[in-house]
Amino acid sequence: MTASFIRSDDFAAFVTAIIEAGPVYGPVAKRSRFAFARLETPEELRLDYDVSILPPKKLFFPPAQDLLQFDEAGFRAPLEPTEKVLLGVHFYDVKAIDQTDLLFSERNYDINYMAHRETTTIVAANIQTVSSRAFFASVGADVQPKGHDAFLTAIAGGYVLETLTERGGALLKFGAFQPATDAQLKEAAAVNAAVLEQCPEKLEHGTEAIAAKVRAAFKNEAMWTAMAADCFSCGTCNTVCPTCYCFDVHDTWNVDQTSGQRTRYWDGCLTEDFAKCSLGEGACENFREERATRFRHRMMRKATYLNEKLGGPACVGCGRCSAGCTADIADPVRIINQIMAS
Amino acid sequence: MNHQCHWTEVENIFLPREATIVRSVQATPTETHFTLKMTDGQPIEYEPGQIVELSLFGYGEIPIGIASSPTRKNTFDLVVRSVGRVSGAVTALEKGQSVYVRGPLGRGFDLTKLRGQDVLIVAGGIGLCPTRSLIQYILDRRDEFKRFVLFYGAREPGLQLFTDDLTMWRTARDVEYCETVDKGDPSWSGNVGVITTLFPQVELTPETRAVICGPPIFYRFVIRELDMIGIPRENVFADLERRMKCGVGKCGHCQINDKYVCVDGPVFSFADVQGLEEAF
Ligand SMILES: Cc1cc2nc3c(=O)[nH]c(=O)nc-3n(C[C@H](O)[C@H](O)[C@H](O)COP(=O)(O)OP(=O)(O)OC[C@H]3O[C@@H](n4cnc5c(N)ncnc54)[C@H](O)[C@@H]3O)c2cc1C
Ligand code: SF4
Ligand code: SF4
Ligand code: FES
């Protein structure tokens, strides 16, 4: 690991140089909010963003991705990953990427995600603005982000760039970096520590206590029914979540009616048909028919089911689901704190 | 990143292989029995109880249990019930046409737990298809198993599957075969009633290993009978069905609490899933 410093005045030239070298994705303004998008100029980059509308997983796990294409001659995988830089990822989103990295590579290694992931250099960045529903400081606090190649922290007069991998180190040649001083490193550490004090929401208990109590609350039907009473089954809480990775797969024809594609699309366990099976003669069995059962499944996934595998909860406290839910019932902090208090 | 392999060195788990239909029989008004051969001549290696993702380009992919035993080489059987988009398109196919398969996928029957034991198989409706892989296996390696009892329940006589097999099993000495239909017709002289009505007809010991597969409601009733015989739940194996998309433990559709039917199953020991609230 090396730590370097770049002056604010030199930063735009650095971003320009990496944009010229290959595609760079970073947070940009989208009306009053922010989204990860391909950067054309350094001015577009908004490292002061609070949270992106969709998480950066969309680069590796696109909302719609062709798994194969077919025509009369046969079929093929259209996978053609390109080297790219993903710049400005907040640490909670790096933690989420660490989770999807594990989940897509374990047991059956999924090349459709992993190819895009392995060709990406991730530069994390410190959180300059805390979003209105964030609770990243109190969820899975003992799990550290690890999938990034470098970490950028804004300090007085410039940025400290800590490079952690070869890929990260390769960025240094694009800018006027000099070794960071101890004082600069200390300042960066203080900046990153300070942001942890600023979350507007907070879980009141540790990961294990939460996991045990949420799991034990499974059969509290009345509670789940009440919590989910206003749910529209829209699936927004799944779509915006950086750790959700469920998908649907279907085939479509092109207009020629001989060629087409098999595509996977983001899906969400809150949607009505997610667990529905056709049995024939019009009969079907929906294994999570009541919205309360789907609502409960999401919380079980976030707070308990995957903990052992992931080493922590499958929620990183970004607050996207809380802010995205029209009915404002999806906030894990409220749900968990209510269960813990019951 | 902290994982071992590199994407260029790994096979794409979503790419299927072509299989040719060598035989296609309309088994019931809605079910077609296919015999398939891998087009490249390389047979799939599978265990009884495993599944494949069967697909037709432009329609989609569906999970289907393999209905034949690996002891019968080169070809394999699938029975497809027409219930929707993909299955409807597949059941219309004929001999000589191609389908695509990925697999085998999932965990089949744990033969190490069945060998040397009395085995009871209880199959309801289309549940006979995946269990047929085990039935054939046992019949082909008969001396590896002790007593073999098979219960099969169909809704009506006209909906019975594998009628050639049934004719054979009715008189066979190496299987004690009992069958029932929920609703009889004038041609039917056999047992009428739900599958549990077969239990009083055969004396079963608590040492028996039981394999059960049927529609969702069937499990609750059958397990009650098995409990009454005193068969411990770790010796009961259930073949479960859930909505599936990927078949490889990623898409999330097939979950029962934190288990994935496509990779942890579809065959589960009852003891392993009975604590899961979403299982039965
Ligand atoms: C382990 C297992 C073994 C099976 N074995 C057989 C078999 O041997 N023969 C047979 O005919 N059927 C079997 N099925 C059921 C078969 O997969 C469904 O009938 C089929 O998926 C319906 O697809 P469709 O596109 O025709 O229907 P649609 O209603 O159009 O379904 C849309 C999609 O939902 C999913 N889906 C719908 N119903 C089911 C279902 N019951 N199970 C799983 N996914 C579903 C599929 O991905 C399907 O493509 C099995 C299912 C499982 C899980
Ligand atoms: S909890 Fe909210 S965001 Fe999630 S499905 Fe229900 S209404 Fe939509
Ligand atoms: S559950 Fe909500 S707060 Fe937690 S990671 Fe997902 S979107 Fe963010
Ligand atoms: S079918 Fe996709 S996870 Fe099991």
Side-chain angles (χ1 to χ4, degrees), chain A residues 276-279, chain B residues 51 61-65 79-81 83-88 126 129-130 239-245 266:
Chain A
K276 186 170 165 186
C277 281
S278 306
L279 301 178
Chain B
I51 57 176
E61 226 178 1
I62 55 174
I64 300 288
V79 174
V80 182
R81 172 184 286 182
V83 308
R85 178 173 161 90
V86 184
S87 56
I126 200 167
C129 303
D239 193 340
L240 300 182
E241 178 170 344
R242 285 296 182 278
R243 187 180 178 95
M244 282 190 189
K245 281 291 172 179

Side-chain angles (χ1 to χ4, degrees), chain A residues 110-294:
Chain A
D110 187 347
I111 189 177
N112 297 284
Y113 171 97
M114 295 306 292
H116 292 302
R117 176 64 185 91
E118 288 176 15
T119 48
T120 303
T121 302
I122 297 181
V123 182
N126 72 298
I127 302 166
Q128 299 185 17
T129 315
V130 177
S131 73
S132 63
R133 304 296 290 269
F135 57 102
F136 47 72
S138 59
V139 65
D142 41 356
V143 182
Q144 295 306 315
K146 53 182 197 238
H148 52 305
D149 299 284
F151 198 109
L152 186 73
T153 307
I155 61 166
Y159 297 87
V160 169
L161 183 72
E162 290 164 88
T163 59
L164 306 157
T165 64
E166 231 173 87
R167 277 175 172 281
L171 294 169
L172 294 174
K173 64 174 182 287
F174 293 102
F177 288 95
Q178 44 194 264
T181 63
D182 281 349
Q184 286 165 336
L185 276 177
K186 263 207 192 120
E187 189 184 341
V191 164
N192 284 305
V195 80
L196 297 179
E197 306 301 322
Q198 296 169 25
C199 284
E201 295 193 19
K202 189 169 178 288
L203 288 175
E204 304 292 346
H205 301 82
T207 302
E208 264 138 60
I210 291 172
K213 192 135 185 204
V214 171
R215 186 68 185 83
F218 192 99
K219 288 201 164 149
N220 191 342
E221 315 272 343
M223 182 194 74
W224 296 110
T225 304
M227 281 180 173
D230 294 330
C231 177
F232 308 116
S233 305
C234 66
T236 301
C237 51
N238 297 129
T239 308
V240 299
C241 179
T243 71
C244 273
Y245 64 105
C246 288
F247 56 87
D248 196 5
V249 182
H250 40 100
D251 288 19
T252 45
W253 298 102
N254 296 332
V255 280
D256 63 12
Q257 290 290 311
T258 55
S259 65
Q261 46 279 318
R262 177 162 297 159
T263 311
R264 73 170 164 202
Y265 302 86
W266 286 1
D267 202 349
C269 59
L270 268 283
T271 56
E272 203 170 330
D273 291 352
F274 189 81
K276 186 170 165 186
C277 281
S278 306
L279 301 178
E281 284 154 10
C284 59
E285 173 86 23
N286 188 340
F287 289 96
R288 279 187 219 99
E289 190 161 16
E290 304 296 326
R291 54 201 155 154
T293 61
R294 301 191 292 273

Side-chain angles (χ1 to χ4, degrees), chain A residues 75 103 106-108 114 118 146 215 247-248 251 267 274 276-277 279 281 287-288 301 305, chain B residues 2-3 6-7 16 55 58 81 155 242-243 245 248 250-251 253 255 257 260 264 277-278:
Chain A
F75 66 94
L103 296 162
E106 60 141 15
R107 299 217 267 201
N108 292 301
M114 295 306 292
E118 288 176 15
K146 53 182 197 238
R215 186 68 185 83
F247 56 87
D248 196 5
D251 288 19
D267 202 349
F274 189 81
K276 186 170 165 186
C277 281
L279 301 178
E281 284 154 10
F287 289 96
R288 279 187 219 99
R301 292 274 293 175
Y305 289 167
Chain B
N2 53 333
H3 58 89
H6 191 264
W7 72 274
S55 72
R81 172 184 286 182
R155 262 196 340 210
R242 285 296 182 278
R243 187 180 178 95
K245 281 291 172 179
V248 289
K250 307 293 181 197
C251 77
H253 283 277
Q255 288 170 67
N257 295 83
Y260 288 77
D264 299 320
E277 297 88 342
E278 294 184 334

Side-chain angles (χ1 to χ4, degrees), chain B:
Chain B
M1 283 183 72
N2 53 333
H3 58 89
Q4 273 67 49
C5 31
H6 191 264
W7 72 274
T8 49
E9 289 146 23
V10 185
E11 271 192 50
N12 189 337
I13 48 178
F14 288 102
L15 292 188
R17 291 170 61 204
E18 186 179 359
T20 310
I21 299 172
V22 295
R23 191 165 159 269
S24 152
V25 178
Q26 182 86 40
T28 71
T30 56
E31 284 142 341
T32 310
H33 179 176
F34 294 107
T35 302
L36 302 173
K37 188 172 189 229
M38 298 314 291
T39 310
D40 62 11
Q42 205 62 41
I44 57 169
E45 307 263 335
Y46 64 94
E47 300 272 325
Q50 283 193 294
I51 57 176
V52 294
E53 280 283 348
L54 172 70
S55 72
L56 204 53
F57 293 136
Y59 296 89
E61 226 178 1
I62 55 174
I64 300 288
I66 303 176
S68 56
S69 163
T71 47
R72 312 201 174 169
K73 289 271 182 218
N74 289 319
T75 63
F76 62 98
D77 291 4
L78 301 178
V79 174
V80 182
R81 172 184 286 182
S82 172
V83 308
R85 178 173 161 90
V86 184
S87 56
V90 168
T91 45
L93 296 177
E94 286 163 12
K95 186 177 161 174
Q97 291 186 288
S98 288
V99 290
Y100 290 84
V101 296
R102 279 193 296 132
L105 303 168
R107 283 199 213 161
F109 301 104
D110 186 348
L111 295 168
T112 61
K113 301 229 167 94
L114 303 177
R115 284 203 188 94
Q117 308 291 342
D118 290 350
V119 178
L120 164 72
I121 295 180
V122 187
I126 200 167
L128 186 63
C129 303
T131 44
R132 183 176 181 253
S133 62
L134 181 62
I135 298 167
Q136 284 189 343
Y137 187 95
I138 294 174
L139 293 175
D140 289 350
R141 308 249 171 110
R142 190 63 191 88
D143 39 344
E144 290 181 15
F145 302 86
K146 284 170 35 194
R147 190 172 168 211
F148 178 29
V149 182
L150 170 60
F151 290 173
Y152 171 44
R155 262 196 340 210
E156 298 162 27
L159 296 180
Q160 283 193 325
L161 291 162
F162 308 112
T163 46
D164 293 348
D165 289 349
L166 304 185
T167 308
M168 223 157 57
W169 299 340
R170 280 179 195 123
T171 54
R173 287 219 227 124
D174 45 8
V175 52
E176 295 167 55
Y177 172 68
C178 305
E179 62 189 349
T180 185
V181 294
D182 294 348
K183 199 165 134 278
D185 66 16
S187 74
W188 183 258
S189 56
N191 193 82
V192 177
V194 295
I195 189 109
T196 47
T197 58
L198 295 175
F199 279 86
Q201 301 183 10
V202 181
E203 186 97 23
L204 293 157
T205 69
E207 288 73 42
T208 308
R209 304 299 189 261
V211 167
I212 65 182
C213 184
I217 47 156
F218 151 110
Y219 295 92
R220 264 171 256 149
F221 296 105
V222 175
I223 192 70
R224 216 174 289 156
E225 299 293 327
L226 300 174
D227 282 346
M228 252 140 48
I229 299 164
I231 301 177
R233 296 220 167 155
E234 63 265 25
N235 291 341
V236 178
F237 303 92
D239 193 340
L240 300 182
E241 178 170 344
R242 285 296 182 278
R243 187 180 178 95
M244 282 190 189
K245 281 291 172 179
C246 70
V248 289
K250 307 293 181 197
C251 77
H253 283 277
C254 67
Q255 288 170 67
I256 297 177
N257 295 83
D258 57 346
K259 296 258 191 288
Y260 288 77
V261 174
C262 67
V263 285
D264 299 320
V267 180
F268 292 94
S269 129
F270 222 91
D272 287 345
V273 284
Q274 63 179 354
L276 303 179
E277 297 88 342
E278 294 184 334
F280 300 105

